[in-house]
Amino acid sequence: MITSLQNAQIKALQKRMKSSKLRNEEKVFFVEGIKMVSEALEYSLVTQIYVSESFVQQNKVSFDVPVEILSDAVFKQVSDDKIKLAIAYGK
């Protein structure tokens, strides 16, 4: 579980989320919320998923892509999703 905003992965995630130029250069996109993440997974578009600690505690869900669990405090800082479900990105 990632518990620090100083984590290299979190810093890279925040940088990508804030910079459309960087996302375009890397040809990546982000979706937030379980519905949008589920739809992106159906089309095999997702390469990484970030979920909140509380989401993991409340749901028994498995994914076919790498998943990182973030503490609720870290997730709150990187996500616009008020429900604190999931962030996914892919190419």
Side-chain angles (χ1 to χ4, degrees), residues 43-60:
Y43 291 97
S44 301
L45 299 173
V46 176
T47 58
Q48 178 79 39
I49 295 177
Y50 295 88
V51 295
S52 67
E53 178 182 17
S54 58
F55 175 80
V56 172
Q57 292 171 353
Q58 297 171 7
N59 299 278
K60 303 294 183 210

Side-chain angles (χ1 to χ4, degrees), residues 5-90:
L5 289 171
Q6 301 308 312
N7 179 286
Q9 239 183 324
I10 296 303
K11 286 183 175 186
L13 176 66
Q14 288 179 307
K15 191 173 181 179
R16 285 184 186 110
M17 290 181 80
K18 290 179 182 176
S19 172
S20 62
K21 181 180 177 182
L22 182 60
R23 288 193 306 274
N24 289 336
E25 287 173 1
E26 294 182 358
K27 296 185 173 132
V28 298
F29 68 92
F30 287 90
V31 293
E32 293 189 74
I34 196 65
K35 182 177 180 193
M36 295 296 293
V37 170
S38 296
E39 289 176 9
L41 284 167
E42 284 180 34
Y43 291 97
S44 301
L45 299 173
V46 176
T47 58
Q48 178 79 39
I49 295 177
Y50 295 88
V51 295
S52 67
E53 178 182 17
S54 58
F55 175 80
V56 172
Q57 292 171 353
Q58 297 171 7
N59 299 278
K60 303 294 183 210
V61 180
S62 65
F63 301 102
D64 293 333
V65 297
V67 175
E68 285 290 344
I69 301 169
L70 309 181
S71 70
D72 288 339
V74 170
F75 195 93
K76 182 179 180 181
Q77 293 298 311
V78 299
S79 175
D80 289 335
D81 184 5
K82 303 301 181 217
I83 305 171
K84 296 184 178 45
L85 295 177
I87 301 171
Y89 78 90

